Amino acid sequence: MAARPGGDGAGAARPGPGVWRRWVVRYQRYQRRRLEELQQKIRGLEDDNRQLREQLQHSQARVEELEGQVSFLRKQLQQCQEERSRWQQLEAELQQWHQELQELWESARYREEQLGAAQAELRALVAAQEKHLHNLEMEQRRLENRLQDLQVLIPPAPRKKINSVLTETRTGVQVNKCSVLGPSLQEGHRGA
């Protein structure tokens, strides 16, 4: 139907049933395409969602693995700290032992010096004793020679007494030779 001339369009012709059908078909095609596009988007989103869930599971597994590694590393760190503490204690003990060893070394050196001085003193004392012993032996020989010289002047009876005194003196018995010889011999010795 054609539009009436001079009309305001209110009485415009309505499209016919064929036009409506074409519009409905077009609209349905459009809706189907739109539905297919939406279904395709949904499938894509579902695929993305599935992939994200798989990634989430992998990430959670990786997080658990990393947490296990972190726990293991924390234990190792604690062991290292304990070991370091032990090493520090051992180092302190070693320093203490080194100090004690140094003190012992100094003490040993001081005692060695004292021992050296004592040995030198003993050597000097031994040398003095040997010299004194030598002097005593020389005096004994001189006295024995003097005694032999005097025996020539003594008659045979007192000579036996003198020989017994000499024998006793040589064996270690301490006897005063002058008292054994008697006052007469002492006076004779003085007169000589």
Side-chain angles (χ1 to χ4, degrees):
M1 294 190 173
R4 293 183 195 168
D8 58 353
R14 289 184 165 185
V19 174
W20 279 108
R21 217 177 289 141
R22 280 186 292 210
W23 281 351
V24 169
V25 169
R26 281 185 193 163
Y27 181 71
Q28 286 176 347
R29 284 182 192 159
Y30 169 75
Q31 288 297 331
R32 280 187 198 129
R33 279 192 307 249
R34 179 86 176 135
L35 182 62
E36 287 174 5
E37 288 174 1
L38 291 174
Q39 286 175 345
Q40 191 173 2
K41 282 184 180 180
I42 288 172
R43 282 193 294 269
L45 289 173
E46 286 175 350
D47 289 341
D48 289 344
N49 191 12
R50 187 174 56 252
Q51 289 176 355
L52 289 173
R53 284 185 182 174
E54 289 174 0
Q55 286 179 355
L56 179 62
Q57 288 176 350
H58 289 303
S59 296
Q60 287 175 342
R62 181 70 177 148
V63 164
E64 290 175 1
E65 180 183 346
L66 290 175
E67 284 177 350
Q69 288 180 357
V70 166
S71 175
F72 176 73
L73 290 174
R74 281 184 181 155
K75 288 178 183 176
Q76 279 190 334
L77 178 63
Q78 185 178 3
Q79 289 175 351
C80 288
Q81 288 173 342
E82 290 172 359
E83 199 169 312
R84 181 180 177 197
S85 175
R86 264 195 320 250
W87 278 107
Q88 288 174 342
Q89 289 174 351
L90 289 175
E91 186 177 1
E93 289 178 11
L94 181 63
Q95 287 177 353
Q96 183 179 359
W97 290 344
H98 181 58
Q99 182 68 27
E100 290 176 7
L101 181 63
Q102 190 70 23
E103 291 172 1
L104 287 173
W105 184 258
E106 291 295 325
S107 175
R109 187 181 310 156
Y110 175 72
R111 288 182 182 174
E112 187 176 352
E113 290 173 0
Q114 285 183 334
L115 180 62
Q119 285 176 342
E121 188 178 325
L122 284 175
R123 283 188 195 112
L125 184 62
V126 166
Q129 290 292 329
E130 285 177 352
K131 185 175 181 182
H132 182 66
L133 180 63
H134 177 69
N135 290 339
L136 288 176
E137 288 174 352
M138 293 302 289
E139 180 68 18
Q140 181 182 2
R141 284 184 192 150
R142 188 183 67 76
L143 290 174
E144 285 176 357
N145 289 338
R146 180 77 179 212
L147 187 61
Q148 286 176 358
D149 291 342
L150 290 174
Q151 280 180 352
V152 173
L153 302 173
I154 299 175
R159 198 177 294 167
K160 289 181 183 178
K161 285 184 180 181
I162 293 173
N163 286 336
S164 68
V165 169
L166 288 176
T167 306
E168 289 174 3
T169 304
R170 287 183 187 141
T171 58
V173 176
Q174 299 293 327
V175 177
N176 188 346
K177 294 177 186 174
C178 295
S179 65
V180 172
L181 294 176
S184 62
L185 185 59
Q186 290 177 4
E187 289 172 8
H189 176 64
R190 287 183 197 148

